[in-house]
Amino acid sequence: MHEESIGKVSPEQFDKQFNTNFRGAYFLAQAYVEEVTSSTKPSDLIFISSETADHCVDIPYGLSKAAINSLIGALSAFLPQRCSCQWRRPWSNCY
């Protein structure tokens, strides 16, 4: 669901988009934090975002993808010794 105008998005559409794109990522990250802080095994966590997150031209889609990017940054700050969070943005050639 991609809407072009903030005025066209209903609460139901907003919830649907965030439930689809962000809710699962958030609770997966929550489980990951619990696991990584109680284990010495190395582990990885991969999220899929979108170039739309950098532009937020599609609301609420772009906002939900920007929330994932923010979550990655928060995990990096919360687990600095255990988390080597890296941004991979092939659309901007920034590695």
Side-chain angles (χ1 to χ4, degrees):
M1 176 179 70
H2 299 268
E3 298 289 345
E4 292 183 16
S5 170
I6 195 167
K8 294 181 181 179
V9 179
S10 70
E12 293 79 17
Q13 290 171 312
F14 182 90
D15 289 345
K16 181 178 180 184
Q17 193 69 67
F18 267 78
N19 285 343
T20 298
N21 289 332
F22 184 67
R23 187 170 197 246
Y26 179 86
F27 288 108
L28 178 63
Q30 186 181 63
Y32 174 80
V33 167
E34 184 178 322
E35 178 65 28
V36 78
T37 55
S38 66
S39 174
T40 58
K41 293 186 221 175
S43 62
D44 295 315
L45 184 60
I46 298 173
F47 291 106
I48 307 289
S49 185
S50 169
E51 67 182 338
T52 307
D54 290 340
H55 310 342
C56 283
V57 292
D58 287 331
I59 297 171
Y61 176 80
L63 296 174
S64 67
K65 294 300 186 173
I68 290 173
N69 293 351
S70 182
L71 177 63
I72 294 167
L75 285 173
S76 181
F78 184 71
L79 300 168
Q81 298 83 12
R82 303 294 306 268
C83 183
S84 61
C85 299
Q86 299 177 3
W87 295 84
R88 304 239 188 255
R89 292 183 172 138
W91 55 84
S92 66
N93 295 324
C94 177
Y95 294 93

Coordinates of all heavy atoms in Angstrom, one line a residue:
M1 N 0.8 -1.2 0.0 CA 0.0 0.0 0.0 C 0.9 1.2 0.0 O 1.7 1.5 0.9 CB -0.9 0.0 1.2 CG -1.7 1.2 1.4 SD -2.8 1.3 2.8 CE -1.6 1.4 4.1
H2 N 0.8 2.0 -1.0 CA 1.6 3.2 -1.2 C 0.6 4.4 -1.4 O -0.2 4.4 -2.3 CB 2.5 3.2 -2.3 CG 3.5 2.1 -2.2 ND1 4.8 2.3 -1.6 CD2 3.5 0.8 -2.6 CE1 5.4 1.2 -1.7 NE2 4.7 0.3 -2.2
E3 N 0.5 5.3 -0.4 CA -0.3 6.5 -0.6 C 0.6 7.6 -0.8 O 1.7 7.7 -0.3 CB -1.1 6.7 0.7 CG -2.0 5.5 1.1 CD -3.2 5.4 0.2 OE1 -3.5 6.4 -0.6 OE2 -3.9 4.4 0.2
E4 N 0.1 8.6 -1.5 CA 0.9 9.8 -1.8 C 0.7 11.0 -0.9 O 1.4 11.9 -0.9 CB 0.8 10.1 -3.3 CG 1.4 9.1 -4.2 CD 1.3 9.5 -5.7 OE1 1.0 10.7 -6.0 OE2 1.4 8.6 -6.5
S5 N -0.5 10.9 -0.3 CA -0.8 12.1 0.5 C -1.1 11.7 2.0 O -1.9 10.7 2.2 CB -2.1 12.8 -0.1 OG -2.6 13.7 0.8
I6 N -0.6 12.4 2.9 CA -0.8 12.1 4.3 C -2.3 12.2 4.6 O -2.8 11.5 5.5 CB 0.0 12.9 5.2 CG1 0.0 12.4 6.6 CG2 -0.4 14.4 5.2 CD1 1.1 13.0 7.5
G7 N -3.0 13.0 3.9 CA -4.5 13.2 4.1 C -5.3 12.1 3.7 O -6.5 12.0 4.0
K8 N -4.8 11.2 2.9 CA -5.5 10.0 2.3 C -5.4 8.8 3.2 O -6.1 7.8 2.8 CB -5.1 9.7 0.9 CG -5.4 10.8 -0.1 CD -4.9 10.4 -1.5 CE -5.2 11.5 -2.5 NZ -4.7 11.1 -3.8
V9 N -4.6 8.8 4.2 CA -4.4 7.5 5.0 C -5.3 7.5 6.2 O -5.3 8.3 7.0 CB -2.9 7.5 5.4 CG1 -2.6 6.2 6.2 CG2 -2.0 7.6 4.2
S10 N -6.1 6.4 6.2 CA -7.0 6.2 7.3 C -6.2 5.5 8.5 O -5.1 4.9 8.2 CB -8.1 5.3 6.9 OG -7.7 4.0 6.7
P11 N -6.7 5.5 9.7 CA -6.0 4.8 10.8 C -5.9 3.3 10.5 O -4.9 2.7 10.8 CB -7.0 5.1 12.0 CG -7.6 6.4 11.7 CD -7.8 6.4 10.2
E12 N -6.9 2.8 9.8 CA -6.8 1.3 9.5 C -5.7 1.1 8.5 O -5.0 0.1 8.6 CB -8.1 0.9 8.9 CG -9.3 0.9 9.9 CD -9.9 2.3 10.1 OE1 -9.7 3.2 9.3 OE2 -10.6 2.4 11.2
Q13 N -5.5 1.9 7.5 CA -4.5 1.8 6.5 C -3.1 1.9 7.2 O -2.2 1.2 6.9 CB -4.6 2.8 5.4 CG -5.8 2.5 4.5 CD -6.0 3.7 3.5 OE1 -6.0 4.9 3.9 NE2 -6.2 3.4 2.2
F14 N -3.0 2.9 8.1 CA -1.8 3.2 8.8 C -1.4 1.9 9.6 O -0.3 1.4 9.5 CB -1.9 4.4 9.7 CG -0.6 4.7 10.4 CD1 0.3 5.6 9.9 CD2 -0.4 4.2 11.7 CE1 1.4 5.9 10.6 CE2 0.8 4.5 12.4 CZ 1.7 5.4 11.8
D15 N -2.3 1.4 10.4 CA -2.1 0.2 11.2 C -1.7 -1.0 10.3 O -0.8 -1.7 10.7 CB -3.3 -0.1 12.1 CG -3.5 0.9 13.2 OD1 -2.6 1.7 13.5 OD2 -4.6 0.9 13.7
K16 N -2.4 -1.2 9.2 CA -2.1 -2.3 8.4 C -0.6 -2.2 7.8 O 0.1 -3.2 7.8 CB -3.0 -2.3 7.2 CG -2.8 -3.5 6.3 CD -3.8 -3.6 5.1 CE -3.5 -4.7 4.2 NZ -4.4 -4.8 3.1
Q17 N -0.2 -1.0 7.4 CA 1.1 -0.9 6.9 C 2.2 -1.1 7.9 O 3.2 -1.8 7.7 CB 1.3 0.5 6.3 CG 2.6 0.7 5.4 CD 2.5 -0.1 4.2 OE1 1.7 0.2 3.3 NE2 3.3 -1.2 4.0
F18 N 2.0 -0.5 9.1 CA 3.0 -0.7 10.2 C 3.0 -2.1 10.7 O 4.1 -2.7 11.1 CB 2.8 0.3 11.3 CG 3.7 1.6 11.1 CD1 3.3 2.5 10.2 CD2 4.8 1.7 11.8 CE1 4.1 3.6 10.0 CE2 5.6 2.8 11.6 CZ 5.2 3.8 10.7
N19 N 1.9 -2.8 10.8 CA 1.8 -4.2 11.2 C 2.5 -5.0 10.2 O 3.2 -6.0 10.5 CB 0.4 -4.6 11.4 CG -0.2 -4.1 12.6 OD1 0.4 -3.7 13.6 ND2 -1.6 -4.1 12.7
T20 N 2.4 -4.7 8.9 CA 3.1 -5.5 7.9 C 4.6 -5.3 7.9 O 5.3 -6.3 7.8 CB 2.5 -5.1 6.5 OG1 1.1 -5.4 6.5 CG2 3.2 -5.9 5.4
N21 N 5.0 -4.1 7.9 CA 6.4 -3.8 7.7 C 7.3 -3.6 9.0 O 8.5 -3.8 8.9 CB 6.6 -2.5 6.9 CG 6.2 -2.7 5.5 OD1 6.3 -3.8 4.9 ND2 5.7 -1.7 4.8
F22 N 6.7 -3.2 10.1 CA 7.5 -2.9 11.3 C 7.2 -3.8 12.5 O 8.2 -4.1 13.2 CB 7.3 -1.4 11.7 CG 8.2 -1.0 12.8 CD1 9.5 -1.0 12.6 CD2 7.6 -0.7 14.0 CE1 10.4 -0.6 13.7 CE2 8.4 -0.4 15.1 CZ 9.8 -0.3 14.9
R23 N 6.0 -4.2 12.7 CA 5.7 -4.9 13.9 C 6.5 -6.2 14.1 O 7.1 -6.5 15.1 CB 4.2 -5.3 13.9 CG 3.7 -5.9 15.2 CD 2.2 -5.9 15.3 NE 1.8 -6.2 16.7 CZ 1.2 -7.3 17.1 NH1 1.0 -8.2 16.2 NH2 0.9 -7.4 18.3
G24 N 6.6 -7.0 13.0 CA 7.4 -8.2 13.0 C 8.8 -8.0 13.3 O 9.5 -8.7 14.0
A25 N 9.4 -6.9 12.6 CA 10.8 -6.6 12.8 C 11.1 -6.2 14.2 O 12.1 -6.6 14.8 CB 11.1 -5.4 11.9
Y26 N 10.1 -5.4 14.8 CA 10.3 -5.0 16.2 C 10.4 -6.2 17.2 O 11.3 -6.3 18.0 CB 9.2 -4.0 16.6 CG 9.3 -3.6 18.1 CD1 10.1 -2.5 18.4 CD2 8.7 -4.3 19.1 CE1 10.3 -2.1 19.7 CE2 8.8 -3.9 20.4 CZ 9.6 -2.8 20.7 OH 9.8 -2.4 22.0
F27 N 9.4 -7.1 17.1 CA 9.4 -8.2 18.0 C 10.4 -9.2 17.7 O 10.9 -9.9 18.6 CB 7.9 -8.8 18.0 CG 7.0 -7.9 18.8 CD1 6.0 -7.2 18.1 CD2 7.1 -7.7 20.1 CE1 5.2 -6.3 18.7 CE2 6.3 -6.8 20.8 CZ 5.3 -6.1 20.1
L28 N 10.9 -9.3 16.5 CA 12.0 -10.2 16.2 C 13.3 -9.6 16.8 O 14.1 -10.3 17.4 CB 12.2 -10.3 14.6 CG 13.4 -11.1 14.2 CD1 13.3 -12.5 14.6 CD2 13.6 -10.9 12.7
A29 N 13.4 -8.3 16.7 CA 14.6 -7.6 17.4 C 14.5 -7.8 18.9 O 15.5 -8.0 19.5 CB 14.6 -6.1 17.1
Q30 N 13.3 -7.7 19.5 CA 13.2 -8.0 20.9 C 13.7 -9.4 21.3 O 14.4 -9.5 22.3 CB 11.7 -7.8 21.3 CG 11.4 -7.8 22.8 CD 10.0 -7.7 23.0 OE1 9.1 -8.5 22.6 NE2 9.6 -6.6 23.7
A31 N 13.3 -10.4 20.5 CA 13.7 -11.7 20.8 C 15.2 -11.9 20.6 O 15.9 -12.6 21.3 CB 12.9 -12.7 19.9
Y32 N 15.7 -11.2 19.6 CA 17.2 -11.2 19.3 C 18.0 -10.7 20.4 O 19.0 -11.2 20.8 CB 17.4 -10.5 18.0 CG 18.9 -10.3 17.7 CD1 19.6 -11.3 17.1 CD2 19.6 -9.1 18.0 CE1 21.0 -11.2 16.8 CE2 20.9 -9.0 17.7 CZ 21.6 -10.0 17.1 OH 22.9 -9.9 16.8
V33 N 17.5 -9.5 21.0 CA 18.2 -8.9 22.1 C 18.3 -9.9 23.3 O 19.3 -10.0 23.9 CB 17.6 -7.6 22.5 CG1 18.1 -7.1 23.8 CG2 17.8 -6.5 21.4
E34 N 17.2 -10.5 23.6 CA 17.1 -11.5 24.7 C 18.1 -12.6 24.4 O 18.8 -13.0 25.3 CB 15.7 -12.0 24.8 CG 15.5 -12.9 26.0 CD 14.1 -13.4 26.2 OE1 13.2 -12.6 25.9 OE2 13.9 -14.6 26.5
E35 N 18.1 -13.1 23.2 CA 19.0 -14.2 22.9 C 20.5 -13.8 22.9 O 21.3 -14.5 23.5 CB 18.6 -14.8 21.5 CG 19.5 -15.9 21.1 CD 19.4 -17.2 21.9 OE1 18.3 -17.4 22.5 OE2 20.4 -18.0 21.9
V36 N 20.8 -12.7 22.3 CA 22.2 -12.3 22.2 C 22.8 -11.9 23.5 O 24.0 -12.1 23.7 CB 22.4 -11.2 21.1 CG1 21.9 -9.9 21.6 CG2 23.8 -11.2 20.6
T37 N 22.0 -11.4 24.4 CA 22.5 -11.0 25.7 C 22.6 -12.2 26.7 O 23.3 -12.1 27.7 CB 21.6 -9.9 26.4 OG1 20.3 -10.4 26.4 CG2 21.7 -8.6 25.6
S38 N 22.0 -13.3 26.3 CA 22.1 -14.5 27.2 C 23.0 -15.6 26.6 O 23.0 -16.7 27.1 CB 20.7 -15.0 27.5 OG 20.1 -15.5 26.4
S39 N 23.7 -15.3 25.5 CA 24.4 -16.3 24.8 C 25.8 -15.7 24.4 O 25.9 -14.5 24.3 CB 23.7 -16.8 23.6 OG 24.5 -17.6 22.8
T40 N 26.7 -16.6 24.2 CA 28.0 -16.2 23.7 C 28.2 -16.6 22.3 O 29.2 -16.3 21.7 CB 29.2 -16.9 24.6 OG1 29.0 -18.3 24.5 CG2 29.1 -16.4 26.0
K41 N 27.2 -17.2 21.7 CA 27.3 -17.6 20.3 C 27.1 -16.4 19.4 O 26.3 -15.5 19.7 CB 26.2 -18.6 19.9 CG 26.3 -19.9 20.6 CD 25.2 -20.8 20.0 CE 24.6 -21.6 21.1 NZ 23.4 -22.4 20.6
P42 N 27.9 -16.3 18.3 CA 27.7 -15.2 17.4 C 26.4 -15.4 16.7 O 25.9 -16.5 16.5 CB 28.9 -15.3 16.4 CG 29.4 -16.7 16.6 CD 29.0 -17.2 17.9
S43 N 25.8 -14.3 16.3 CA 24.5 -14.3 15.6 C 24.3 -13.1 14.7 O 25.0 -12.1 14.9 CB 23.4 -14.4 16.6 OG 23.3 -13.3 17.4
D44 N 23.5 -13.3 13.8 CA 23.2 -12.2 12.8 C 21.7 -11.9 12.8 O 20.9 -12.8 13.0 CB 23.6 -12.5 11.4 CG 25.1 -12.7 11.3 OD1 25.9 -11.8 11.8 OD2 25.6 -13.7 10.7
L45 N 21.3 -10.7 12.5 CA 19.9 -10.3 12.3 C 19.9 -9.4 11.1 O 20.6 -8.5 11.0 CB 19.4 -9.6 13.5 CG 18.0 -9.2 13.6 CD1 17.1 -10.4 13.5 CD2 17.7 -8.4 14.8
I46 N 19.0 -9.8 10.1 CA 19.0 -9.1 8.9 C 17.6 -8.5 8.7 O 16.6 -9.2 8.9 CB 19.3 -10.0 7.7 CG1 20.7 -10.5 7.8 CG2 19.1 -9.2 6.3 CD1 21.1 -11.5 6.8
F47 N 17.5 -7.2 8.4 CA 16.2 -6.5 8.1 C 16.2 -6.1 6.6 O 17.3 -5.7 6.1 CB 16.0 -5.3 9.0 CG 15.8 -5.7 10.4 CD1 16.8 -5.5 11.4 CD2 14.6 -6.2 10.8 CE1 16.6 -5.8 12.7 CE2 14.4 -6.5 12.2 CZ 15.4 -6.3 13.1
I48 N 15.1 -6.1 6.1 CA 14.9 -5.5 4.7 C 14.2 -4.2 4.8 O 13.2 -4.1 5.4 CB 14.1 -6.5 3.8 CG1 14.6 -7.9 3.9 CG2 13.9 -5.9 2.4 CD1 15.9 -8.1 3.1
S49 N 14.8 -3.2 4.2 CA 14.2 -1.9 4.2 C 14.0 -1.4 2.7 O 13.8 -2.3 1.9 CB 15.1 -0.9 4.9 OG 14.5 0.4 5.0
S50 N 14.0 -0.2 2.5 CA 13.7 0.3 1.2 C 14.3 1.7 1.0 O 14.5 2.4 2.0 CB 12.2 0.4 0.9 OG 11.8 1.1 -0.2
E51 N 14.6 2.1 -0.3 CA 15.1 3.4 -0.5 C 14.1 4.5 -0.2 O 14.4 5.6 0.1 CB 15.6 3.6 -1.9 CG 14.5 3.5 -2.9 CD 15.0 3.6 -4.4 OE1 16.1 4.1 -4.6 OE2 14.2 3.2 -5.2
T52 N 12.8 4.0 -0.1 CA 11.7 4.9 0.2 C 11.9 5.4 1.7 O 11.4 6.5 2.0 CB 10.4 4.2 0.1 OG1 10.3 3.7 -1.3 CG2 9.2 5.1 0.2
A53 N 12.6 4.7 2.5 CA 12.8 5.1 3.9 C 13.6 6.4 3.9 O 13.4 7.2 4.9 CB 13.5 4.0 4.7
D54 N 14.4 6.6 3.0 CA 15.3 7.8 3.0 C 14.5 9.0 2.4 O 14.9 10.2 2.7 CB 16.5 7.6 2.1 CG 17.5 6.7 2.8 OD1 17.4 6.5 4.0 OD2 18.3 6.2 2.0
H55 N 13.4 8.8 1.7 CA 12.7 9.9 1.1 C 11.3 10.1 1.7 O 10.8 11.2 1.6 CB 12.5 9.6 -0.4 CG 13.8 9.2 -1.1 ND1 15.1 9.5 -0.6 CD2 14.0 8.6 -2.3 CE1 16.0 9.0 -1.4 NE2 15.4 8.5 -2.4
C56 N 10.8 9.1 2.2 CA 9.4 9.1 2.8 C 8.4 9.8 1.9 O 7.6 10.6 2.3 CB 9.4 9.8 4.2 SG 10.0 8.7 5.5
V57 N 8.5 9.4 0.6 CA 7.5 9.9 -0.3 C 6.2 9.2 -0.3 O 5.2 9.7 -0.6 CB 8.1 9.9 -1.8 CG1 9.2 10.9 -1.9 CG2 8.5 8.6 -2.2
D58 N 6.2 7.9 0.1 CA 5.0 7.1 0.2 C 4.7 7.0 1.7 O 5.5 6.5 2.5 CB 5.2 5.7 -0.3 CG 5.3 5.7 -1.8 OD1 4.6 6.6 -2.5 OD2 5.9 4.8 -2.4
I59 N 3.5 7.5 2.0 CA 3.1 7.5 3.4 C 1.9 6.5 3.5 O 1.0 6.7 2.7 CB 2.7 8.9 3.9 CG1 3.9 9.8 3.9 CG2 2.0 8.9 5.3 CD1 3.6 11.3 4.1
P60 N 1.9 5.6 4.4 CA 2.8 5.3 5.5 C 3.9 4.3 5.2 O 4.7 4.0 6.0 CB 1.8 4.7 6.5 CG 0.8 4.0 5.8 CD 0.6 4.8 4.5
Y61 N 4.0 3.8 3.9 CA 5.0 2.8 3.6 C 6.4 3.3 3.9 O 7.1 2.6 4.6 CB 4.9 2.5 2.1 CG 6.0 1.5 1.6 CD1 5.8 0.1 1.9 CD2 7.1 2.0 1.0 CE1 6.8 -0.7 1.5 CE2 8.1 1.1 0.6 CZ 7.9 -0.3 0.8 OH 8.9 -1.1 0.4
G62 N 6.8 4.5 3.4 CA 8.1 5.0 3.7 C 8.4 5.2 5.1 O 9.5 5.0 5.6
L63 N 7.4 5.6 5.9 CA 7.5 5.8 7.3 C 7.8 4.5 8.0 O 8.6 4.4 8.9 CB 6.3 6.4 7.9 CG 6.0 7.8 7.5 CD1 4.6 8.3 8.0 CD2 7.1 8.8 7.9
S64 N 7.1 3.4 7.6 CA 7.3 2.1 8.2 C 8.7 1.6 7.9 O 9.3 0.9 8.7 CB 6.2 1.1 7.8 OG 6.4 0.8 6.4
K65 N 9.2 1.8 6.7 CA 10.6 1.4 6.4 C 11.6 2.3 7.1 O 12.7 1.8 7.5 CB 10.8 1.5 4.9 CG 10.0 0.5 4.1 CD 10.3 -0.9 4.5 CE 9.6 -2.0 3.7 NZ 10.0 -3.3 4.0
A66 N 11.3 3.6 7.3 CA 12.2 4.4 8.1 C 12.3 4.0 9.6 O 13.3 4.1 10.2 CB 11.8 5.9 8.0
A67 N 11.2 3.5 10.0 CA 11.1 2.9 11.4 C 12.1 1.7 11.5 O 12.7 1.6 12.6 CB 9.7 2.5 11.8
I68 N 12.2 0.9 10.5 CA 13.1 -0.2 10.5 C 14.5 0.3 10.6 O 15.3 -0.2 11.4 CB 12.9 -1.2 9.3 CG1 11.6 -1.9 9.4 CG2 14.0 -2.1 9.2 CD1 11.1 -2.7 8.2
N69 N 14.8 1.3 9.8 CA 16.2 1.9 9.8 C 16.5 2.4 11.2 O 17.6 2.3 11.7 CB 16.3 2.9 8.8 CG 16.3 2.4 7.3 OD1 16.3 1.2 7.1 ND2 16.2 3.2 6.4
S70 N 15.6 3.1 11.8 CA 15.8 3.6 13.2 C 16.0 2.5 14.2 O 16.8 2.6 15.1 CB 14.6 4.5 13.5 OG 14.7 5.0 14.8
L71 N 15.2 1.4 14.0 CA 15.4 0.2 14.9 C 16.8 -0.3 14.8 O 17.4 -0.7 15.8 CB 14.4 -0.8 14.5 CG 14.4 -2.1 15.3 CD1 14.2 -1.9 16.8 CD2 13.4 -3.1 14.7
I72 N 17.4 -0.4 13.6 CA 18.7 -0.9 13.4 C 19.7 0.0 14.2 O 20.6 -0.4 14.8 CB 19.1 -0.9 11.9 CG1 18.2 -2.0 11.2 CG2 20.6 -1.2 11.7 CD1 18.3 -1.9 9.7
G73 N 19.5 1.3 14.1 CA 20.4 2.3 14.8 C 20.3 2.1 16.3 O 21.2 2.2 17.0
A74 N 19.0 1.9 16.8 CA 18.8 1.7 18.2 C 19.5 0.4 18.7 O 20.1 0.4 19.8 CB 17.3 1.7 18.5
L75 N 19.4 -0.6 17.9 CA 20.0 -1.9 18.3 C 21.6 -1.7 18.4 O 22.2 -2.2 19.3 CB 19.7 -3.0 17.3 CG 18.3 -3.6 17.4 CD1 18.1 -4.6 16.2 CD2 18.1 -4.3 18.7
S76 N 22.1 -1.0 17.4 CA 23.5 -0.7 17.4 C 24.0 0.0 18.7 O 25.0 -0.2 19.3 CB 23.9 0.1 16.2 OG 25.3 0.3 16.2
A77 N 23.1 1.0 19.1 CA 23.5 1.8 20.3 C 23.2 0.9 21.6 O 24.0 1.1 22.6 CB 22.6 3.0 20.4
F78 N 22.2 0.1 21.6 CA 21.8 -0.7 22.7 C 22.8 -1.9 23.0 O 23.1 -2.2 24.1 CB 20.4 -1.2 22.6 CG 19.9 -2.0 23.8 CD1 19.6 -1.3 24.9 CD2 19.7 -3.4 23.7 CE1 19.1 -2.0 26.0 CE2 19.2 -4.1 24.8 CZ 18.9 -3.4 26.0
L79 N 23.3 -2.4 21.9 CA 24.2 -3.6 22.0 C 25.6 -3.3 21.3 O 26.0 -4.0 20.4 CB 23.6 -4.8 21.3 CG 22.3 -5.3 21.9 CD1 21.7 -6.3 21.0 CD2 22.5 -5.9 23.3
P80 N 26.3 -2.2 21.7 CA 27.5 -1.8 20.9 C 28.6 -2.9 20.9 O 29.3 -3.0 19.9 CB 28.0 -0.6 21.7 CG 27.4 -0.7 23.0 CD 26.1 -1.4 22.9
Q81 N 28.7 -3.7 21.9 CA 29.7 -4.8 21.9 C 29.3 -6.0 21.1 O 30.1 -6.8 20.6 CB 30.1 -5.2 23.3 CG 30.7 -4.1 24.1 CD 29.7 -3.2 24.8 OE1 28.5 -3.6 24.8 NE2 30.1 -2.1 25.3
R82 N 28.0 -6.2 21.0 CA 27.5 -7.4 20.4 C 26.9 -7.2 19.0 O 26.6 -8.2 18.3 CB 26.4 -8.0 21.3 CG 26.9 -8.4 22.7 CD 27.9 -9.5 22.7 NE 27.5 -10.7 22.1 CZ 26.9 -11.7 22.7 NH1 26.6 -11.7 23.9 NH2 26.6 -12.8 22.0
C83 N 26.7 -6.0 18.6 CA 25.9 -5.8 17.4 C 26.8 -5.0 16.4 O 27.2 -3.9 16.7 CB 24.7 -5.0 17.7 SG 23.6 -4.6 16.3
S84 N 27.1 -5.6 15.3 CA 27.8 -4.9 14.2 C 26.8 -4.5 13.1 O 26.8 -5.1 12.1 CB 29.0 -5.7 13.7 OG 28.4 -6.9 13.1
C85 N 25.9 -3.6 13.5 CA 24.9 -3.2 12.6 C 25.5 -2.4 11.4 O 26.3 -1.5 11.6 CB 23.8 -2.3 13.3 SG 23.0 -3.2 14.6
Q86 N 25.2 -2.8 10.2 CA 25.7 -2.2 9.0 C 24.6 -1.8 8.1 O 23.6 -2.6 7.9 CB 26.7 -3.1 8.3 CG 27.9 -3.4 9.2 CD 28.8 -4.4 8.4 OE1 28.6 -4.8 7.3 NE2 29.8 -4.9 9.1
W87 N 24.7 -0.7 7.5 CA 23.7 -0.2 6.5 C 24.2 -0.6 5.2 O 25.3 -0.4 4.8 CB 23.6 1.3 6.6 CG 23.0 1.8 7.8 CD1 23.7 2.1 9.0 CD2 21.7 2.1 8.1 NE1 22.9 2.5 9.9 CE2 21.6 2.6 9.4 CE3 20.5 2.1 7.4 CZ2 20.4 3.0 10.1 CZ3 19.3 2.4 8.0 CH2 19.3 2.9 9.3
R88 N 23.3 -1.3 4.4 CA 23.6 -1.6 3.0 C 22.6 -1.0 2.2 O 21.4 -1.4 2.2 CB 23.6 -3.1 2.8 CG 24.6 -3.9 3.8 CD 25.6 -4.6 3.0 NE 26.4 -5.5 3.8 CZ 27.6 -5.2 4.1 NH1 28.2 -4.1 3.7 NH2 28.3 -6.0 4.9
R89 N 23.0 0.0 1.5 CA 22.1 0.8 0.6 C 22.6 0.7 -0.8 O 23.2 1.7 -1.3 CB 22.0 2.2 1.1 CG 21.3 2.3 2.4 CD 21.2 3.8 2.8 NE 20.4 4.0 4.0 CZ 20.7 4.8 4.9 NH1 21.7 5.6 4.8 NH2 19.9 4.9 6.0
P90 N 22.3 -0.3 -1.5 CA 22.8 -0.4 -2.9 C 22.2 0.7 -3.8 O 22.8 1.0 -4.8 CB 22.4 -1.8 -3.4 CG 21.3 -2.2 -2.4 CD 21.5 -1.5 -1.1
W91 N 21.1 1.2 -3.5 CA 20.5 2.2 -4.3 C 21.2 3.5 -4.3 O 21.1 4.4 -5.1 CB 19.0 2.4 -4.0 CG 18.8 2.8 -2.6 CD1 18.8 4.0 -2.0 CD2 18.4 1.9 -1.5 NE1 18.6 3.9 -0.6 CE2 18.3 2.6 -0.3 CE3 18.2 0.5 -1.4 CZ2 18.0 2.1 0.9 CZ3 17.9 -0.1 -0.2 CH2 17.8 0.7 0.9
S92 N 22.0 3.7 -3.2 CA 22.8 5.0 -3.1 C 24.3 4.8 -3.2 O 25.0 5.7 -3.0 CB 22.5 5.7 -1.8 OG 22.9 4.9 -0.7
N93 N 24.7 3.6 -3.5 CA 26.1 3.2 -3.6 C 26.9 3.6 -2.3 O 28.0 4.0 -2.3 CB 26.8 3.9 -4.8 CG 26.2 3.4 -6.1 OD1 25.9 2.2 -6.2 ND2 26.1 4.2 -7.1
C94 N 26.2 3.5 -1.2 CA 26.8 3.8 0.1 C 26.9 2.6 0.9 O 26.0 2.0 1.4 CB 25.9 4.8 0.8 SG 26.5 5.3 2.5
Y95 N 28.2 2.1 1.1 CA 28.4 0.8 1.8 C 29.2 1.1 3.0 O 30.2 1.8 3.0 CB 29.1 -0.2 1.0 CG 28.2 -0.7 -0.2 CD1 28.3 0.0 -1.4 CD2 27.3 -1.7 0.0 CE1 27.5 -0.5 -2.5 CE2 26.5 -2.1 -1.0 CZ 26.6 -1.5 -2.3 OH 25.8 -1.9 -3.3

